[in-house]
Amino acid sequence: MTAHIIDGRAMGAEIKVELRNDIQRYMQTHGRLPGIVIVHVGTDTASGVYSKTILRIAEEVGMHASLEQLPTLTSPDELQTILQQFNSDETVQGIIVQMPLPTHLSQKMVGDTLLSSKDIDGISPYSAGNLFLGLPSLLPSTAAAVVEILERTHTPLAGKRVVILGRSNVVGTPLAMMLLQKNATVTICHSRTVDLATFTRQADVLIAAVGRVKLVTGEMVRSGAVVIDVGINYLLNGSIVGDVDFASVSQVASALTPTPGGVGPLTNIVLLKQCMQAAGWEAEAGKHATILH
Ligand code: NAD
């Protein structure tokens, strides 16, 4: 079997067209664009690249976006005050704080401070709690991007065995909750899992989100499985690879995401889609508030 290679860039282009239409409809109804603010504290290079990518995509889809670049030595109080200002800013529907933060700032404080209705990367305990309870929620964008791929490729999930490698709060664990709600039978494997291959060989859908080169090889994959490679690993020669050994797995799987060009291009587009979702929910809540008054 030779796997169908899932084209994340083409899928991203498709979502951008839908998003642009949604934003135009929002503009016609509300007379303003939905707005996203990116908060980047410090000088982390990858965060700088992600911020620029979000700004570029926002411009492409017609969303209002701005970057709040803060110095590394921003104090916890200063960051909290800035986030609170964005919480109450009516022109802002979504806030993303780039991680990692400088070590003197805590992600927990950010999650606790962000207004949950603007927490478009689903990092607050409230968002995580809603996801856990199966209630509508803003979602961690990488996990949501994986679900987007599975849905757009019409991958059956109900009753299927899904194995996720990695249990982080941004990818593996929220993804498990999302797929459980789609009636998949979900197994999470992690750094302490013994005999990984026993689990991976059972998977109808195998998702690798670890950050280890060639963690998943062809003999670990069941024939015909759908394999989603979330991992990003930088090689010494400057190239980027995922967690999946593309050469061997593409001979066994029925479908496979490449790295680069698979999950990566979708993550930031899905983040903006969530901002649009947040804007829609805010407008709905406002409508109900008007009725109540
Ligand atoms: P993380 O370091 O927080 O978590 C890694 C997880 O892998 C942990 O839960 C750990 O238990 C598990 N793990 C470690 N060794 C393992 C092993 N041998 N077998 C099974 N599980 C093992 O990382 P993260 O933030 O969840 O990201 C995971 C990967 O996804 C990284 O490579 C990251 O760069 C990539 N990533 C990609 C995107 C994207 O847009 N494509 C976005 C976020 C993260």
Side-chain angles (χ1 to χ4, degrees):
M1 174 174 287
T2 308
H4 161 67
I5 307 305
I6 298 167
D7 185 343
R9 294 193 182 99
M11 208 175 268
E14 196 178 289
I15 301 171
K16 279 194 275 188
V17 171
E18 296 166 8
L19 195 48
R20 178 172 256 285
N21 290 338
D22 289 346
I23 290 168
Q24 279 171 0
R25 266 195 297 276
Y26 179 92
M27 174 71 189
Q28 279 157 10
T29 313
H30 303 286
R32 62 178 161 88
L33 294 171
I36 180 174
V37 167
I38 308 153
V39 179
H40 179 196
V41 191
T43 56
D44 181 71
T45 313
S47 297
V49 174
Y50 296 143
S51 299
K52 280 193 188 135
T53 307
I54 296 167
L55 290 171
R56 176 178 52 76
I57 300 169
E59 196 179 340
E60 281 170 26
V61 297
M63 186 178 279
H64 185 262
S66 61
L67 172 64
E68 183 76 16
Q69 179 70 56
L70 299 171
T72 306
L73 290 178
T74 302
S75 72
D77 283 352
E78 283 167 338
L79 179 58
Q80 196 167 33
T81 303
I82 287 165
L83 294 178
Q84 283 162 346
Q85 282 165 0
F86 289 132
N87 280 346
S88 51
D89 185 338
E90 287 181 3
T91 67
V92 172
Q93 279 63 50
I95 307 166
I96 168 92
V97 180
Q98 295 288 12
M99 303 291 164
L101 290 164
T103 48
H104 67 284
L105 297 171
S106 98
Q107 182 172 340
K108 180 175 176 350
M109 180 277 277
V110 172
D112 287 342
T113 304
L114 283 181
L115 194 63
S116 58
S117 56
K118 297 189 180 187
D119 170 29
I120 51 169
D121 208 20
I123 67 163
S124 73
Y126 186 86
S127 303
N130 275 343
L131 173 60
F132 184 87
L133 295 172
L135 297 170
S137 172
L138 295 167
L139 302 162
S141 52
T142 305
V146 172
V147 174
E148 193 85 47
I149 290 173
L150 293 173
E151 286 182 339
R152 282 174 191 261
T153 50
H154 308 290
T155 303
L157 292 169
K160 298 297 176 187
R161 282 169 291 193
V162 175
V163 175
I164 300 172
L165 311 184
R167 59 176 163 183
S168 74
N169 288 338
V170 288
V171 193
T173 300
L175 186 53
M177 299 312 301
M178 292 158 77
L179 296 176
L180 198 57
Q181 284 161 22
K182 295 194 176 295
N183 298 314
T185 302
V186 182
T187 303
I188 305 181
C189 299
H190 47 79
S191 53
R192 303 292 179 89
T193 299
V194 176
D195 194 3
L196 205 58
T198 311
F199 296 94
T200 60
R201 282 195 199 107
Q202 292 181 19
D204 299 306
V205 177
L206 176 61
I207 300 160
V210 171
R212 184 173 295 190
V213 179
K214 293 192 183 179
L215 177 70
V216 178
T217 56
E219 64 270 20
M220 295 168 70
V221 175
R222 178 182 163 140
S223 175
V226 172
V227 180
I228 308 293
D229 191 358
V230 182
I232 298 177
N233 304 289
Y234 298 90
L235 301 184
L236 286 175
N237 66 8
S239 60
I240 296 172
V241 295
D243 293 346
V244 172
D245 176 34
F246 190 86
S248 63
V249 172
S250 61
Q251 298 306 307
V252 188
S254 63
L256 169 63
T257 59
T259 305
V263 177
L266 288 180
T267 304
N268 288 322
I269 298 171
V270 167
L271 181 79
L272 293 185
K273 188 173 166 179
Q274 301 237 84
C275 188
M276 189 58 235
Q277 175 73 77
W281 283 343
E282 181 195 67
E284 273 299 302
K287 216 159 58 187
H288 293 310
T290 311
I291 292 164
L292 285 174
H293 287 119

